Amino acid sequence: MASPQTNGDLWLKDLTKTFGDFAAVDHIDLHIPQGSFFALLGPSGCGKTTTLRMIAGLEEPTSGKVLIGDLDITYAKAYDRPVNTVFQNYALFPHMDIFENIAFGLRRRNVSDLDKKVKDVLELIQLSHLARRKPAQLSGGQQQRVALARAIVNQPAVLLLDEPLGALDLKLRREMQVELKRIQMEVGLTFIHVTHDQEEAMSMADTIAVMNNGVVEQLGAPLDLYERPATQFVASFLGQTNTLQGTVVGPDGDFTVVDTACGRLRLPRTELTGSVALGVRPEKIEFAQTAVSGVPDGANVVEGVVTDASFIGVSTQYIVRLRNEQEIAVFEQNLLFGRRALVGDQVTLFWDPRHSFALAAQ
Amino acid sequence: MNAPVVPVPAAGVQAVRSTKAGTRRRWTPYLLLLPGLLWLGIFFIIPLASLLMQSLQTPVPNGLAGQFQQTWRFQNYIDTLSQPNFYNAMIRSFTYSFIATVLALLIAYPLAYAIALRAGRAKPLLLVLVVAPFFVSFILRTIAWKQVLGAEGPVVSTLQALHLVQQNFTIYPSSAAVIAGLTYNFLPFMTLPIFASLDRLDTRLVEAANDLYAGNLVAFRKVTLPLTMPGVVAGTLLTFIPASGDYINSELLGGSVNTTMIGKVIDSRFLVLSDYPAASVLSFTLMSIILAAVWLYVRKAGTEELV
Amino acid sequence: MTMKRWLSHSVFRIYAVFAVAYLLLPVGYTLAFSFNNGGRSNLVWHGFTFDAWTHLCDAPGVCESVQNSLLVGVLSTLIATVLGTMIAFALGRYLFVGRSFTNLLIFLPMATPEVVLGSSLLALFLNLGGGLLGFPGVLLAHVMFCISFVVVTVKARVATLDPKLEEAARDLYANELQTFWKVTFPLVLPGIASAALLAFALSFDDFIITYFNAGSNFQTFPVFVWTSNQRGIPPQANVIASLMFFVALAAVIIAQVNSARKAKALAK
């Protein structure tokens, strides 16, 4: 077991898992620093859960290595590695009460001061009064916190969370996101969070690895991933994106000019040439007051007809059909009283070219 | 096939509503129950009362054999149960079936485990094969064991050919052969309920135990076994109860005074010797002991929902 | 894979193969000896012949006892399945005073050894003068011990039924009877079918209770085998057992393949 002095960073080196001909995880390399809140984000079947299970020791890698600091745990049994998991649907032992569930790992290792440790962690999750209840007598949110307590009480070098909030309703999920982040700060453990919910990943994690088809598509801080997605997949998986196909014309100062069916548009300087897709988030696009005025200098401008407008409270979401018949989404924050445009209106749209990004054409 | 005794959750039970159709509906369950419970009342409860009454009869003075009158003589119980060949047969029955139940559990649990969790696509086939012995007559199966274990059977001749035993060595007839027969015959009854509870087991709980530093053995002892106790309880009851009343195995594979089980004694007292009071005493005592044992066992195992 | 890892990986499968072989060994013996040229004693192998298969009814009493067994089996299965299913619905669908008493009354016959069930019925029949011994007594007895098993099997199925389905049917203008026959009953039917199969198997193979109440002139197949054991069981008995074995095996396999195919079709 890793002694606390050694560096507790987690390393996945060229990690691969195949089932028959199918590569669930395809030569992944990741470095997760000690104490970070790391998210593995991707659609179901992307390999994130298999990756997690290999870190947990519940699945044996086909090749590659899993290291904590200098310690190679690739083939260590699940019960021999300083890694604990908060399971999807919690997997609380139904025949044991909450106290015994939390004490389970401590008892296996004959940890001293068991009583105090369990009580402390019960306090941390604010469920001290339910210590003698059985899991079935708890609400979903309470079970979720018990599952978390059962794992962190062992002070693992790495804590894995497998879709931990998936079974909760929306309001509770928001509350638990805050709660999880608070607990992570408080205990200072490395959290690796597997989820398919981009908002969940972005709201909690320091670093996100977006996975698809067994490989990491992009790695970075939530803001970077959102504002500068590197691939079409990342752009569409994290939030909503409009993409306009075009051809690179050439550089223009800090920008690259792209020729599209809706006119010449600019995006931040890119190395890509030839066919590209220009991406822009719906909330970055604004309506011009009139067709001729209100557009700042240097903005990207397109024109179209509003085909749909739905008011959803904080914003109104429009669908605008451009000249080339392509439809794009535009989110307008609800600052004015009433709607800005009606279905059928001719509109001029613009956005700051720094909010565009280039994606390799599909 | 479903395991005969499994805990059944009372889900889906509807409360009787007090609508205008309520009066009719309140009678519906009783109408549904009436014929079946009447049948059980007449052919299960009344016979037990009949048995109890018969156990308190005495011979008609100067009457023929098999003629008795109701004299409510409770002394019958003391007289009958104090006879060594009777109480020995009773003790022997419980000993044999206890050993057979333990052996069957030891054989069946790993088998059920293999079928439920390790068989993959072979699961349905293996289940059919476990049930298959049911489809051959119980008595013929037991006679087949007589052939397998007999002096000219494959087991003894193999052992003799390997010079592991002497030439005059026999397995059958003996107590061991009777216990082996009981173990064999009730093995499917043990396997199926355990299979059912292992099949329902959420294997993520075992993974969770592994993740929390429990080795495979500890995870089994702390998680798998406690969660499959309902199956174990059902299986042991379905083995122990019929085994303790059975006498086909003891007659076919034992066949001597030293292997006689209580069922045979009741059989011959009733059907051969027409000693109805003694037979009834033994029968009623057998049932009382078993019911008391079942009640204690089920309470101790903490699976009251079984009943 | 190394030898050790392969072993630890496959140890349960290897065990399962041995255990199943152990379970099937006597079955194999029973089948094999239906071809024995043994004459009156069928305990030792004398040579191969089809005689017993081609002259099935030549051994006195065999075919008659099988007829009796089938008759008792079919009738008691029918009665027990109807009565038991009614009880199962009452227990699974209604809350009523006397539920736990009913549950206890269902459980008790299963917790009572056969020899007690058989002897207590005999005690009743003897008190009534012995007139019911034979076919009527055996039939009454078989229905009695089959009911509980039917109740438990069907109740399990009723319990897994989603009550929302019945609510949906009522919402779509089905009255109570229509709801039952169009929705509830078809969904519970597989449970009733397996309960009926179980009841028939229990009835057909019952020896002890039957033996106590059969009187002197009525023999079912197990009683025939038992009583002819002293003189030697004719190989025809093994033929009957083999036939039963294959019919039952075929029924179970067909049912399994059918349900597997249905599941596959649904998954598409």
Side-chain angles (χ1 to χ4, degrees):
Chain A
M1 214 167 281
S3 60
Q5 298 92 317
T6 62
N7 185 351
D9 290 7
L10 178 75
W11 301 83
L12 307 184
K13 295 195 164 161
D14 203 24
L15 197 63
T16 298
K17 176 73 185 180
T18 55
F19 298 102
D21 292 338
F22 172 69
V25 175
D26 204 356
H27 301 285
I28 278 190
D29 281 289
L30 278 178
H31 168 221
I32 297 162
Q34 185 171 17
S36 62
F37 201 132
F38 191 92
L40 278 173
L41 175 66
S44 61
C46 72
K48 59 188 192 298
T49 299
T50 309
T51 307
L52 179 108
R53 289 172 63 83
M54 287 191 283
I55 302 171
L58 299 169
E59 204 86 69
E60 220 169 72
T62 312
S63 66
K65 276 188 174 12
V66 180
L67 303 167
I68 293 179
D70 302 326
L71 187 74
D72 185 345
I73 57 162
T74 314
Y75 296 104
K77 298 280 187 199
Y79 45 85
D80 277 336
R81 56 174 84 191
V83 175
N84 290 112
T85 309
V86 177
F87 286 81
Q88 198 173 6
N89 302 99
Y90 323 135
L92 297 178
F93 304 123
H95 56 304
M96 299 177 193
D97 63 24
I98 301 312
F99 187 95
E100 282 307 314
N101 260 284
I102 295 174
F104 190 91
L106 299 175
R107 287 200 196 285
R108 301 286 80 74
R109 293 179 303 152
N110 299 317
V111 171
S112 61
D113 230 3
L114 176 138
D115 234 50
K116 183 174 165 4
K117 284 188 169 122
V118 176
K119 282 185 177 142
D120 285 351
V121 77
L122 272 167
E123 212 150 285
L124 181 73
I125 60 164
Q126 298 162 357
L127 289 181
S128 305
H129 55 297
L130 300 178
R132 290 301 165 196
R133 295 272 183 91
K134 290 279 176 69
Q137 298 168 292
L138 267 56
S139 71
Q142 290 169 334
Q143 290 183 25
Q144 209 286 327
R145 280 185 276 172
V146 173
L148 180 67
R150 187 177 69 170
I152 56 179
V153 74
N154 300 294
Q155 293 288 318
V158 175
L159 183 92
L160 306 173
L161 301 108
D162 186 6
E163 302 272 6
L165 309 179
L168 304 179
D169 62 42
L170 189 66
K171 189 161 172 290
L172 206 52
R173 203 146 65 207
R174 294 277 177 273
E175 283 172 27
M176 282 307 300
Q177 286 173 12
V178 178
E179 178 92 355
L180 265 179
K181 187 73 190 162
R182 171 183 76 84
I183 290 173
Q184 195 261 341
M185 304 274 225
E186 212 158 304
V187 296
L189 300 173
T190 310
F191 276 32
I192 299 179
H193 174 200
V194 158
T195 181
H196 66 272
D197 181 333
Q198 37 116 359
E199 276 187 45
E200 203 178 292
M202 289 198 284
S203 70
M204 291 191 286
D206 316 323
T207 311
I208 299 176
V210 182
M211 283 187 74
N212 190 30
N213 294 327
V215 297
V216 174
E217 291 253 342
Q218 193 177 356
L219 179 77
L223 195 68
D224 292 341
L225 290 184
Y226 188 79
E227 302 292 3
R228 296 271 169 270
T231 66
Q232 296 258 6
F233 175 81
V234 175
S236 58
F237 194 77
L238 266 80
Q240 222 174 320
T241 300
N242 299 304
T243 53
L244 302 168
Q245 304 299 322
T247 321
V248 172
V249 176
D252 172 16
D254 290 341
F255 297 101
T256 297
V257 178
V258 177
D259 212 359
T260 73
C262 306
R264 293 210 156 176
L265 301 173
R266 295 191 300 162
L267 47 74
R269 192 70 175 266
T270 172
E271 302 300 310
L272 293 171
T273 55
S275 285
V276 292
L278 180 148
V280 60
R281 302 279 183 190
E283 75 277 10
K284 300 292 195 317
I285 306 176
E286 290 181 65
F287 287 91
Q289 297 295 350
T290 63
V292 285
S293 71
V295 177
D297 285 349
N300 286 333
V301 183
V302 293
E303 282 169 358
V305 180
V306 176
T307 59
D308 186 63
S310 43
F311 176 69
I312 60 157
V314 291
S315 67
T316 304
Q317 307 198 343
Y318 297 95
I319 306 287
V320 176
R321 188 184 298 132
L322 302 180
R323 282 206 310 244
N324 64 341
E325 297 293 303
Q326 185 185 352
E327 294 194 321
I328 63 168
V330 181
F331 299 165
E332 201 68 32
Q333 222 189 324
N334 189 21
L335 296 174
L336 296 167
F337 188 79
R339 293 187 184 182
R340 197 176 282 250
L342 297 169
V343 173
D345 285 0
Q346 277 281 339
V347 291
T348 303
L349 303 171
F350 68 91
W351 67 91
D352 189 322
R354 283 171 299 179
H355 285 142
S356 318
F357 43 83
L359 301 166
Q362 271 173 329
Chain B
M1 199 181 294
N2 281 319
V5 182
V6 286
V8 180
V13 171
Q14 290 177 337
V16 179
R17 271 174 256 149
S18 55
T19 57
K20 53 187 172 182
T23 340
R24 201 185 70 216
R25 226 186 259 174
R26 215 171 298 146
W27 289 104
T28 318
Y30 296 106
L31 290 175
L32 287 171
L33 291 174
L34 188 69
L37 293 194
L38 215 55
W39 199 293
L40 288 181
I42 297 173
F43 300 112
F44 174 64
I45 299 294
I46 293 181
L48 286 180
S50 208
L51 186 73
L52 182 61
M53 280 172 65
Q54 194 142 48
S55 71
L56 303 172
Q57 291 178 348
T58 46
V60 174
N62 307 319
L64 297 167
Q67 284 190 314
F68 297 92
Q69 58 189 8
Q70 196 66 43
T71 50
W72 306 102
R73 184 171 181 271
F74 284 89
Q75 185 70 24
N76 279 356
Y77 276 80
I78 295 162
D79 289 354
T80 308
L81 294 174
S82 59
Q83 290 187 45
N85 54 337
F86 291 166
Y87 67 72
N88 279 335
M90 190 81 82
I91 292 168
R92 191 179 299 123
S93 293
F94 288 126
T95 314
Y96 283 4
S97 46
F98 180 78
I99 299 172
T101 304
V102 172
L103 288 176
L105 178 61
L106 293 178
I107 298 171
Y109 202 105
L111 176 60
Y113 188 90
I115 298 173
L117 300 170
R118 293 281 184 272
R121 294 219 321 243
K123 184 152 101 176
L125 174 71
L126 283 172
L127 264 184
V128 171
L129 292 179
V130 167
V131 186
F134 279 141
F135 304 149
V136 164
S137 158
F138 187 98
I139 301 174
L140 284 174
R141 259 185 286 153
T142 312
I143 289 171
W145 272 117
K146 198 162 131 176
Q147 293 167 297
V148 174
L149 299 175
E152 289 159 27
V155 177
V156 172
S157 28
T158 309
L159 290 175
Q160 282 171 347
L162 294 169
H163 296 284
L164 290 171
V165 295
Q166 291 175 337
Q167 287 306 311
N168 58 1
F169 172 82
T170 55
I171 301 175
Y172 145 83
S174 68
S175 308
V178 176
I179 292 169
L182 289 170
T183 308
Y184 170 79
N185 272 314
F186 297 105
L187 196 55
F189 286 122
M190 183 69 91
T191 311
L192 289 179
I194 298 178
F195 164 80
S197 58
L198 276 167
D199 203 36
R200 274 198 302 267
L201 178 74
D202 182 354
T203 48
R204 283 175 307 187
L205 294 173
V206 182
E207 286 188 345
N210 280 155
D211 184 65
L212 295 165
Y213 312 105
N216 292 336
L217 273 178
V218 178
F220 176 79
R221 200 161 49 81
K222 293 279 175 189
V223 177
T224 310
L225 189 58
L227 289 175
T228 51
M229 264 326 264
V232 172
V233 171
T236 44
L237 289 180
L238 284 172
T239 304
F240 183 78
I241 296 169
S244 53
D246 176 79
Y247 57 91
I248 294 170
N249 286 284
S250 63
E251 287 309 293
L252 291 177
L253 298 169
S256 78
V257 193
N258 295 325
T259 58
T260 302
M261 289 173 72
I262 193 66
K264 182 62 192 171
V265 179
I266 297 171
D267 170 309
S268 52
R269 287 283 130 185
F270 252 119
L271 300 173
V272 182
L273 301 167
S274 298
D275 183 3
Y276 304 145
S280 304
V281 165
L282 293 173
S283 195
F284 205 80
T285 309
L286 174 67
M287 188 190 73
S288 311
I289 294 174
I290 285 185
L291 283 185
V294 167
W295 187 70
L296 282 175
Y297 177 60
V298 171
R299 285 202 58 175
K300 185 129 200 283
T303 48
E304 272 128 302
E305 73 265 33
L306 202 74
V307 183
Chain C
M1 234 186 279
T2 63
M3 185 70 189
K4 203 184 144 202
R5 262 177 74 191
W6 180 83
L7 254 181
S8 74
H9 217 77
S10 315
V11 62
F12 277 104
R13 288 182 212 179
I14 297 167
Y15 176 80
V17 170
F18 276 101
V20 168
Y22 163 68
L23 276 166
L24 294 179
L25 179 66
V27 177
Y29 254 76
T30 307
L31 302 192
F33 275 75
S34 71
F35 299 106
N36 189 17
N37 193 2
R40 285 185 56 195
S41 160
N42 196 18
L43 279 177
V44 184
W45 186 255
H46 291 290
F48 185 89
T49 174
F50 279 113
D51 276 2
W53 285 78
T54 49
H55 300 86
L56 191 52
C57 288
D58 278 13
V62 174
C63 286
E64 198 196 336
S65 70
V66 173
Q67 262 175 17
N68 289 338
S69 275
L70 289 174
L71 187 66
V72 172
V74 168
L75 286 178
S76 56
T77 299
L78 273 176
I79 302 171
T81 305
V82 171
L83 299 185
T85 302
M86 286 164 68
I87 296 178
F89 268 102
L91 287 172
R93 273 285 172 270
Y94 296 92
L95 287 175
F96 55 89
V97 180
R99 254 182 83 86
S100 44
F101 168 78
T102 308
N103 275 324
L104 185 68
L105 190 56
I106 298 301
F107 175 74
L108 277 180
M110 296 191 289
T112 309
E114 280 193 49
V115 67
V116 177
L117 293 176
S119 61
S120 62
L121 260 175
L122 176 61
L124 174 71
F125 292 152
L126 286 175
N127 282 342
L128 295 175
L132 285 171
L133 293 177
F135 173 71
V138 170
L139 180 62
L140 295 170
H142 281 213
V143 173
M144 181 270 293
F145 72 73
C146 286
I147 286 179
S148 299
F149 287 96
V150 173
V151 173
V152 173
T153 313
V154 177
K155 199 172 79 172
R157 183 83 193 181
V158 173
T160 60
L161 204 65
D162 186 354
K164 288 219 171 60
L165 294 173
E166 293 179 338
E167 288 173 13
R170 260 179 266 146
D171 179 58
L172 296 166
Y173 315 107
N175 65 30
E176 289 178 8
L177 266 183
Q178 288 167 328
T179 303
F180 180 80
W181 287 112
K182 295 282 177 198
V183 176
T184 316
F185 186 73
L187 288 171
V188 180
L189 195 58
I192 298 176
S194 52
L197 274 178
L198 178 64
F200 184 81
L202 288 170
S203 165
F204 193 87
D205 201 26
D206 177 73
F207 168 69
I208 294 180
I209 297 174
T210 312
Y211 191 53
F212 269 89
N213 296 291
S216 47
N217 298 319
F218 184 75
Q219 279 196 334
T220 60
F221 181 64
V223 173
F224 166 80
V225 175
W226 178 260
T227 45
S228 49
N229 184 37
Q230 278 91 33
R231 307 174 252 126
I233 296 164
Q236 278 84 351
N238 293 53
V239 176
I240 299 292
S242 310
L243 284 173
M244 284 301 296
F245 176 77
F246 287 121
V247 169
L249 202 62
V252 170
I253 289 174
I254 287 170
Q256 283 220 354
V257 168
N258 240 341
S259 72
R261 195 182 299 151
K262 261 186 207 161
K264 228 180 206 173
L266 278 177
K268 266 176 194 167

